[in-house]
């Protein structure tokens, strides 16, 4: 066994050990949370670690059999991440804002939903304002 082959084996062994350690740490993150987004990201990283582990196994065995499997896993990991992100985006969407009718003395554009004053120059939502006497 040449020096380069020994270096190759040591580096591949170190890579496999690091992938396994990262997998264990990610399992802890999935278990502890604290949020659904943390768990989703951890599952996505675990998919990447599985792909890295298969790549290391291919390198140790000098076999390209696992490359199509790695490609399919990468595609499934990506689509799963997009699906989870869309689910979280829909779930965390802000609630509908109630529309408050403007008072008769209010200038045009002062009522309605927040942000609909169409450049009237008012600072809607910046704090309490004084009411003018009628």
């Amino acid at each position: 066994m040449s020096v380069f082959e020994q270096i190759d084996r040591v580096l591949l062994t170190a890579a496999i050990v690091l992938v396994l350690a990262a997998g264990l740490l990610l399992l802890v993150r999935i278990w502890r949370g604290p949020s659904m987004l943390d768990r989703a990201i951890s599952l996505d990283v675990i998919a990447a670690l599985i792909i890295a582990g298969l790549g290391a196994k291919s390198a140790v065995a000098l076999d390209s059999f696992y490359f199509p499997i790695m490609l399919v896993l990468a595609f499934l990991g990506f689509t799963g991440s997009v699906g989870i992100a869309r689910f979280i985006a829909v779930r965390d969407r802000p609630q509908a804002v109630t529309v408050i009718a403007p008072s008769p003395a209010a200038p045009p554009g002062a009522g309605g939903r927040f942000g609909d004053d169409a450049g009237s120059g008012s600072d809607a939502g910046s704090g309490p304002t004084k009411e003018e006497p009628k």
Side-chain angles (χ1 to χ4, degrees):
M1 188 178 262
S2 71
V3 174
F4 291 116
E5 289 175 348
Q6 288 178 343
I7 292 173
D8 188 37
R9 290 290 175 191
V10 168
L11 290 176
L12 285 172
T13 304
I16 292 171
V17 168
L18 289 175
V19 165
L20 290 175
L24 290 175
L25 291 173
L26 283 168
L27 287 176
V28 169
R29 174 51 61 196
I30 289 172
W31 182 263
R32 292 184 61 199
S35 70
M36 183 66 177
L37 189 58
D38 289 329
R39 291 180 174 102
I41 291 171
S42 297
L43 286 172
D44 187 36
V45 174
I46 281 184
L49 283 178
I50 290 172
I51 294 168
L54 285 174
K57 182 176 179 356
S58 293
V60 168
L62 298 174
D63 187 16
S64 63
F65 174 75
Y66 293 103
F67 291 159
I69 297 170
M70 292 165 52
L71 184 67
V72 170
L73 284 175
F75 178 71
L76 289 176
F78 170 74
T79 55
S81 298
V82 170
I84 289 171
R86 288 182 56 94
F87 172 73
I88 290 174
V90 169
R91 186 188 68 176
D92 292 343
R93 184 173 291 157
Q95 299 296 324
V97 178
T98 58
V99 178
I100 301 172
S103 64
R113 294 182 301 165
F114 177 75
D116 280 353
D117 36 60
S120 66
S122 67
D123 290 334
S126 63
T129 58
K130 295 182 186 177
E131 283 191 30
E132 296 181 18
K134 293 183 180 180

